[in-house]
Amino acid sequence: SSGQALVVLVGVTLTIAPCAEVRIPANMYLQVDGTLIARGTPLQRITVHRNNATQAFQSIWVRSPGFADLAFLDLDGGGAASSNAALLVEGVDLPNVLPAKVDHVKITGSAGYGLRLTRLAGLAAASRDLVISGAGATSATAPFPMRLMVNAVGTIPVGSYTGNASDFLQVEGGVVAADVTFHDRGVLFLFGSAGATFGVLQV
């Protein structure tokens, strides 16, 4: 990813306390190679949002073996073009790596995708109550609340994925290398998109 980064190194933990407000300038991202713990409470949610109301920041980028534990957190105004997702979770091309857990997390107003799970990354089993709305605010090529590889489909938690530029969960086709279950998450799954080079489910 291009742009400037704050990097959490391997073996290091960055903790964001309940009720904290974090502002990220345009063209910057938080890269998590170590551990990010940002666990708010129902009455003391954590807020992460853009520093400039008119300019999106890039993302919180979690890279396996890094791990992010996010709870009662509002992530607003990310997804600038170079990252294309407010929360970007990257695996290691080995099914299934689970580098992030989300619990009562709201991702809103992303310029592109709200959440992107790439390189076979999925969400940890304890994930729940994820809300993504307002995704695709300025990106015609990333209008969906979520983009992920087919092996991660079963890790999508119960939540809400409507109110975006296009309310589909965008799935990259490929070889199903592990057991996968498509759960009813209230919106349709879309393999590929118009003009895309993927979109084939090879079993």
Side-chain angles (χ1 to χ4, degrees):
S1 182
S2 61
Q4 296 179 320
L6 172 65
V7 181
V8 182
L9 296 176
V10 174
V12 174
T13 297
L14 171 64
T15 301
I16 302 176
C19 212
E21 176 186 355
V22 178
R23 295 187 181 188
I24 304 179
N27 203 40
M28 288 199 68
Y29 59 97
L30 173 60
Q31 178 177 320
V32 182
D33 295 336
T35 301
L36 170 64
I37 298 175
R39 295 191 59 84
T41 71
L43 297 180
Q44 293 182 310
R45 296 184 67 91
I46 294 169
T47 304
V48 179
H49 60 103
R50 62 180 68 175
N51 188 51
N52 185 319
T54 63
Q55 295 180 301
F57 63 90
Q58 289 195 31
S59 62
I60 296 178
W61 181 17
V62 186
R63 306 197 316 164
S64 182
F67 184 80
D69 184 358
L70 311 176
F72 296 98
L73 180 144
D74 299 322
L75 179 61
D76 180 68
S82 53
S83 66
N84 247 7
L87 179 58
L88 177 61
V89 181
E90 180 180 343
V92 290
D93 294 331
L94 296 170
N96 272 335
V97 178
L98 308 173
K101 181 176 74 173
V102 295
D103 178 4
H104 289 83
V105 169
K106 294 181 181 179
I107 302 174
T108 56
S110 178
Y113 303 107
L115 169 64
R116 184 169 181 190
L117 302 172
T118 186
R119 296 185 67 194
L120 300 185
L123 295 175
S127 294
R128 59 179 180 165
D129 295 302
L130 174 62
V131 174
I132 304 177
S133 64
T138 60
S139 176
T141 59
F144 308 108
M146 189 183 306
R147 175 173 172 171
L148 67 165
M149 299 186 74
V150 65
N151 288 76
V153 164
T155 74
I156 300 172
V158 171
S160 174
Y161 306 104
T162 59
N164 304 283
S166 184
D167 288 333
F168 293 93
L169 300 178
Q170 186 183 35
V171 180
E172 299 182 36
V175 176
V176 179
D179 293 345
V180 173
T181 301
F182 281 72
H183 298 286
D184 178 4
R185 293 300 183 241
V187 294
L188 297 176
F189 293 91
L190 173 68
F191 275 81
S193 61
T197 57
F198 56 88
V200 176
L201 174 60
Q202 178 181 338
V203 182

